[in-house]
Amino acid sequence: MVRLSKWLLKEAGTGVNKTLSDILVCPLSKQALRVCEEPPSLISDSIGVSFPIKDGIPCLVPTDGKILDTDDTMKHDNAADDSANNK
Amino acid sequence: MHSLQFSVPLLPTSRFKRHSVRCASDRQQLFNRIAPVYDNLNDLLSLGQHRIWKRMAVSWSGAKTGDSLLDLCCGSGDLTFLMSEKAGADGKVIGLDFSKEQLSIASSRQYLLSKACYNNIEWVEGDALDLPFSNGYFDAITMGYGLRNVVDKRRAMQEMFRVLKPDSRVSILDFNKSMQPFTALFQEWMIDNVVVPTATVYGLAKEYQYLKTSIDEFLTGKELEKLALDAGFSYARHYEIGGGLMGNLVAAR
């Protein structure tokens, strides 16, 4: 039952578990990745690229990466600032 | 958003009349296509012996309880599951492959197989030439029938060296490119008269004809040992198994 729940949660595409996100780095810069919940993805801030997570499996082939527009990175910075100010 | 494109230039086919040269994306599509019947064909074509060779590869890797392990080009996960049994509940195994279809099958098998220790496996879609892991992370690496299919074997060896902890081993199982004429002829005969006709029944003749080309373009045992030493490994030894049809390279960092 526990195994089924764990598998279902992963398959729901809610992202990777924390252990895996700690292990993985950007395949190109080898720097740390940041987890994004929606859409489920791993962000490499070092090169401004987003890698998707599909069915709980991180897709880290370099050609899977999408270059983030400046707007996307600015939105994240604003959200991070807001949450820091609210604390 | 813009897609990140790293295209490998396709070589003009007129330069290679005898061998068809495939880029990485062709190979990725090939493995996606054969995914549904891959396991069945492995069993059929090796008469189940691939299971023994894979156990040998895992033993040679030195994997043990509590280790952090990597199975490269994991495909549908045969070696990954064996590594998982070695690592146990306190260990961790990453199965990495560039074929989404193969990983999907691997993930389904993980759920269907009943062993609790398989919870220590995580699947990652990735490229053996650009591994998404930091330096010196893994206690052991296995690679089964993968090195022959990567477009830059030198780079793959360098990446394996980079992500291995000091005093750790990589165990690479694959077809053996034999220097013995009889073995080489027998291998070729097997592919032409057993493998390809069987694959044809599954509608995969072309995909399995690629096998002969890829063995032809592969490295001999001695060349593989040199490749590992050039990548920085301090020890490299290639063992012939399966009557010389298969080979396992063991290299230590």
Side-chain angles (χ1 to χ4, degrees):
Chain A
M1 190 60 205
V2 170
R3 179 166 57 91
L4 174 61
S5 312
K6 181 174 188 268
W7 186 80
L8 281 173
L9 274 171
K10 269 193 79 174
E11 289 302 305
T14 52
V16 295
N17 67 48
K18 188 165 189 316
T19 327
L20 186 56
S21 60
D22 288 341
I23 295 169
L24 297 170
V25 300
C26 172
L28 296 164
S29 70
K30 313 302 184 193
Q31 302 298 306
L33 294 165
R34 177 167 52 84
V35 179
C36 176
E37 296 287 330
E38 192 51 48
S41 52
L42 292 164
I43 313 285
S44 173
D45 288 316
S46 55
I47 56 171
V49 168
S50 151
F51 296 95
I53 299 169
K54 294 177 185 168
D55 299 325
I57 296 178
C59 301
L60 291 165
V61 176
T63 48
D64 286 334
K66 286 187 165 50
I67 298 174
L68 294 169
D69 292 333
T70 326
D71 282 348
D72 292 326
T73 49
M74 278 182 64
K75 272 183 205 154
H76 166 77
D77 286 343
N78 287 339
D81 285 342
D82 285 344
S83 65
N85 288 335
N86 286 339
K87 279 186 183 157
Chain B
M1 286 194 183
H2 309 284
S3 285
L4 208 60
Q5 292 294 333
F6 288 100
S7 56
V8 176
L10 275 170
L11 294 164
T13 50
S14 57
R15 286 178 60 194
F16 294 85
K17 288 204 171 85
R18 279 192 307 125
H19 311 291
S20 67
V21 178
R22 293 163 177 267
C23 67
S25 123
D26 276 350
R27 293 175 191 198
Q28 188 180 39
Q29 283 164 36
L30 183 152
F31 282 99
N32 277 335
R33 280 197 302 276
I34 67 175
V37 297
Y38 188 63
D39 293 332
N40 289 344
L41 272 172
N42 285 342
D43 264 336
L44 196 55
L45 295 170
S46 71
L47 301 175
Q49 290 214 59
H50 71 103
R51 296 164 193 270
I52 300 169
W53 303 326
K54 283 165 180 164
R55 287 190 178 277
M56 291 168 79
V58 168
S59 287
W60 263 313
S61 75
K64 57 193 186 306
T65 312
D67 276 353
S68 294
L69 305 171
L70 175 63
D71 180 30
L72 276 179
C73 304
C74 67
S76 53
D78 278 353
L79 276 166
T80 324
F81 294 120
L82 291 174
M83 291 288 261
S84 165
E85 288 164 15
K86 288 284 185 185
D90 292 332
K92 191 90 202 157
V93 185
I94 309 278
L96 182 140
D97 200 279
F98 75 167
S99 162
K100 281 188 179 62
E101 302 299 328
Q102 296 273 359
L103 283 174
S104 177
I105 289 172
S107 181
S108 304
R109 287 175 83 197
Q110 181 187 18
Y111 171 66
L112 289 168
L113 292 164
S114 56
K115 291 198 178 180
C117 73
Y118 292 158
N119 287 337
N120 65 7
I121 300 172
E122 296 289 350
W123 308 104
V124 175
E125 194 211 342
D127 191 335
L129 305 184
D130 287 297
L131 291 176
F133 309 111
S134 44
N135 299 353
Y137 187 83
F138 293 103
D139 296 293
I141 299 176
T142 46
M143 193 184 203
Y145 301 99
L147 189 62
R148 183 174 31 87
N149 299 305
V150 299
V151 293
D152 188 340
K153 294 160 186 54
R154 180 171 303 276
R155 182 142 160 208
M157 289 299 315
Q158 286 167 346
E159 276 292 271
M160 284 186 259
F161 182 81
R162 181 180 69 78
V163 303
L164 261 182
K165 285 181 187 165
D167 300 320
S168 294
R169 278 184 259 166
V170 60
S171 177
I172 299 171
L173 170 67
D174 216 313
F175 281 89
N176 178 36
K177 185 175 174 182
S178 179
M179 297 308 292
Q180 301 293 329
F182 178 75
T183 312
L185 268 169
F186 178 66
Q187 197 179 58
E188 197 173 321
W189 184 90
M190 280 291 290
I191 294 172
D192 286 339
N193 296 288
V194 178
V195 174
V196 173
T198 308
T200 308
V201 171
Y202 290 83
L204 295 169
K206 244 184 352 128
E207 283 77 3
Y208 278 81
Q209 275 158 2
Y210 159 72
L211 194 54
K212 201 159 90 166
T213 314
S214 69
I215 295 173
D216 217 16
E217 292 171 356
F218 198 34
L219 303 174
T220 62
K222 285 281 167 247
E223 287 168 339
L224 286 169
E225 287 172 356
K226 183 172 186 308
L227 189 76
L229 295 170
D230 287 348
F233 288 92
S234 59
Y235 166 88
R237 178 80 194 273
H238 182 261
Y239 299 93
E240 295 190 359
I241 57 177
L245 293 176
M246 302 293 154
N248 201 101
L249 175 70
V250 182
R253 192 190 153 129

